[in-house]
Amino acid sequence: MTSKAATAPKGSAGHPEFLSPMLAQRERRTAVEVLGSQTAVFTYEPAGAHATAPTILAVHGFRGTHHGLLRIVDQLPEVRVIMPDLPGFGDSEPLAGHHDIEGYAAWLGELAETLGLAGDTVLLGHSFGSIVAAHFCAENPERFSRLILVNPISAPALEGPKGVLSRLAVAYYRAGARLPERTGSALLRHPAVVRLMSEAMAKTRDGALRSFVHGQHAAYFSRFANRELLLEAFRASISHTAAEAGDRLALPVLLIAGDRDEVAPLPAVRAFHDRLPDSRLTVIPGVGHLIHYETPKPAADAIRAFLAEGGAR
């Protein structure tokens, strides 16, 4: 395991008010080998003396990196949060095998073992990460003590009123994979496409915050290793849901949803919540699929209350 000194959180330049200086002091970067490839892991230690601080292992969403969850981590200074970059994204190398739900779930389990995480560790997944996390916990019910799903994917992407847009996205990723390398990669990373996605998902009317969100997407949304793995991961993201695992999730679950989320619509999240034997649902008003950027404080408050319940099942 290698380690690097903490540096200022990337992506905060121009908008330092959205990430505190304390976050940089808490950060410790490591690189570990998992299933034959290197995974970049960013650990945020508790600020001050918190000898019994809980630990959260957090899995970010599709095309993102660990940076996307930093505003929530910043709101939880008393919690130890471990955030890897998913294989093939950010600073992590691609998997040796397939980038599907099974591949990412296997990686997640091996990562937890490699890091020596105890059974009282809490698992968190955002968006695509919610699918990976839910499926892992369904297959490994004793590995983590509690499960937190932020903007949980609860309905098939190709069904319902947004099915047409999802099919357009399928065509976009397929074109990016089939075009000549230079042209296809340029299409997948094109700033105009990234900005269009960012504009579609952002709901805040705060100009500075909206600028911060767009800057984050511009900086990190195209940090994928190659177009082949991106297509594999995209197919996984639209072929499965977190709700598929609902009947097999016996551990306590917290769902955090936005009432304007078009990617993970609230009615589907409520239906998912109703199926779970031990769950809580926090609905944050006025936000869509970017809870982690736009409303980190109410999300962190819900997480803090959930952690305070303790690990008893």
Side-chain angles (χ1 to χ4, degrees):
M1 180 182 296
T2 60
S3 178
K4 296 183 180 180
T7 57
K10 296 178 181 178
S12 59
H15 294 285
E17 68 272 29
F18 293 117
L19 291 172
S20 77
M22 182 187 297
L23 194 62
Q25 299 171 18
R26 295 172 58 195
E27 182 183 286
R28 176 172 56 86
R29 173 176 174 168
T30 59
V32 297
E33 184 172 323
V34 183
L35 300 179
S37 65
Q38 292 289 308
T39 292
V41 180
F42 300 81
T43 300
Y44 296 84
E45 301 291 354
H50 293 281
T52 60
T55 296
I56 293 176
L57 175 61
V59 184
H60 64 75
F62 175 68
R63 281 192 71 158
T65 70
H66 75 283
H67 295 90
L69 296 171
L70 284 180
R71 293 204 71 207
I72 292 179
V73 175
D74 210 8
Q75 295 289 328
L76 294 168
E78 76 280 15
V79 179
R80 179 176 182 243
V81 184
I82 301 172
M83 297 198 296
D85 283 342
L86 278 170
F89 296 91
D91 292 333
S92 292
E93 296 177 349
L95 292 171
H98 295 295
H99 296 82
D100 52 18
I101 298 302
E102 293 76 15
Y104 278 122
W107 162 83
L108 178 60
E110 187 67 20
L111 175 66
E113 293 303 314
T114 300
L115 295 177
L117 298 182
D120 60 354
T121 301
V122 177
L123 183 62
L124 180 151
H126 170 255
S127 190
F128 177 59
S130 76
I131 304 176
V132 175
H135 279 261
F136 179 87
C137 287
E139 295 296 328
N140 304 273
E142 301 297 323
R143 184 59 188 85
F144 296 101
S145 64
R146 306 173 84 79
L147 177 63
I148 301 167
L149 303 178
V150 183
N151 293 119
I153 305 300
S154 305
L158 298 179
E159 298 179 7
K162 294 299 177 180
V164 173
L165 293 179
S166 295
R167 289 183 177 85
L168 288 175
V170 171
Y172 164 71
Y173 283 104
R174 283 178 177 169
R178 292 173 179 174
L179 287 169
E181 173 67 34
R182 185 174 179 178
T183 304
S185 294
L187 173 65
L188 293 171
R189 291 185 166 93
H190 199 288
V193 175
V194 173
R195 183 56 179 262
L196 181 64
M197 173 281 306
S198 191
E199 291 284 359
M201 289 199 295
K203 304 301 180 187
T204 180
R205 295 182 179 180
D206 183 318
L209 178 55
R210 199 173 183 95
S211 177
F212 173 79
V213 169
H214 296 331
Q216 291 282 293
H217 285 143
Y220 304 116
F221 204 64
S222 295
R223 291 196 59 199
F224 53 89
N226 58 66
R227 58 186 184 159
E228 291 78 18
L229 86 82
L230 186 66
L231 179 60
E232 281 190 347
F234 174 71
R235 284 172 173 162
S237 74
I238 65 169
S239 300
H240 296 277
T241 70
E244 289 174 346
D247 295 335
R248 295 177 292 144
L249 292 175
L251 76 174
V253 179
L254 169 64
L255 306 175
I256 304 178
D259 69 351
R260 298 181 63 191
D261 194 338
E262 296 164 333
V263 179
L266 184 55
V269 178
R270 290 192 185 279
F272 182 19
H273 168 57
D274 290 340
R275 289 175 51 207
L276 293 168
D278 186 3
S279 67
R280 306 105 180 97
L281 171 61
T282 294
V283 179
I284 303 177
V287 67
H289 204 62
L290 303 181
I291 285 173
H292 55 310
Y293 283 137
E294 297 184 356
T295 56
K297 187 179 187 304
D301 289 344
I303 291 170
R304 183 176 292 109
F306 184 57
L307 296 178
E309 295 178 9
R313 300 189 184 180

